[in-house]
Amino acid sequence: MSRTNDETYKEKKDDIIKRTEEVREKWREEEEDDTDRLLNDAIAYSLGEGKGWAPGEREEYLETILDDDFIPPLFAGSQEELEASGLSEAFSSLEYDEPPAQYMLDYKKKGNDAFMNGKRNEVKNHQFYRDAINHYYEAFSWAQRVEFISEKEEAKNNENNGELCYT
């Protein structure tokens, strides 16, 4: 007598369910899985290396952030609020690495690329033009930050290092 596909499917399904239950039962018998053990070992190692809170630091930090007047630095609306958070130096170190002229040129190029993509677009999607406008606006805001060097300073810089500098 031959087996039907339904019987074969039912046997495979029952076998999978049985194996799943066996694994689940095995996990229940173990007190903790490898992930917990590895995490606990990593924490213990870090604390052994002297990383983590110094005595009293954690309590001081919790007291600071639970204070009603505390504003997280990410949500600070003014320079005074940022300074009150104690992280103004950290945020000021996030300044841009390149001079404003470089950012201006980069955004102008992105705007030009978006505009050309809009012209080539066959379905006439206006999002390319919106993106181009946003990139041009960003380039303009960077252009306002560029400080040009006077002709005397330019000649002096050209003599010193052969390059024109923007600040």
Side-chain angles (χ1 to χ4, degrees):
M1 182 172 168
S2 67
R3 299 180 133 187
T4 64
N5 286 339
D6 289 337
E7 290 175 353
T8 307
Y9 172 76
K10 187 175 185 327
E11 286 178 6
K12 285 182 180 180
K13 178 183 163 192
D14 290 341
D15 185 48
I16 290 173
I17 290 173
K18 181 182 173 190
R19 284 189 285 162
T20 305
E21 288 298 324
E22 289 172 358
V23 170
R24 185 179 297 159
E25 208 41 54
K26 180 183 168 189
W27 287 351
R28 284 185 190 146
E29 291 173 3
E30 294 178 0
E31 289 185 27
E32 60 182 341
D33 64 0
D34 286 341
T35 307
D36 288 340
R37 190 168 1 103
L38 289 173
L39 181 61
N40 288 335
D41 290 348
I43 291 171
Y45 177 77
S46 295
L47 291 174
E49 292 290 312
K51 299 175 183 172
W53 299 102
E57 273 185 345
R58 181 175 186 268
E59 291 78 15
E60 182 182 334
Y61 175 73
L62 290 174
E63 192 175 298
T64 302
I65 64 170
L66 294 175
D67 184 17
D68 291 336
D69 295 331
F70 178 74
I71 297 174
L74 185 60
F75 301 111
S78 66
Q79 185 65 30
E80 291 79 27
E81 290 176 350
L82 185 62
E83 288 172 1
S85 73
L87 294 174
S88 62
E89 185 177 317
F91 276 87
S92 66
S93 70
L94 297 175
E95 302 250 348
Y96 298 99
D97 295 331
E98 300 290 329
Q102 183 63 45
Y103 288 107
M104 175 192 69
L105 294 173
D106 290 345
Y107 279 106
K108 179 185 172 197
K109 182 182 181 316
K110 287 180 183 180
N112 290 344
D113 292 344
F115 182 80
M116 293 308 293
N117 287 337
K119 284 181 81 171
R120 287 189 291 259
N121 187 4
E122 293 178 9
V123 292
K124 302 300 179 202
N125 186 347
H126 295 288
Q127 185 62 40
F128 291 107
Y129 296 114
R130 290 184 187 116
D131 291 343
I133 290 169
N134 289 335
H135 291 306
Y136 289 139
Y137 178 78
E138 195 68 31
F140 179 72
S141 70
W142 280 106
Q144 292 176 329
R145 299 177 192 170
V146 173
E147 296 175 10
F148 292 100
I149 298 175
S150 69
E151 290 181 22
K152 288 182 181 180
E153 291 175 359
E154 180 181 339
K156 182 179 176 185
N157 284 337
N158 285 337
E159 290 173 4
N160 291 340
N161 58 12
E163 295 180 3
L164 178 62
C165 298
Y166 297 101
T167 58

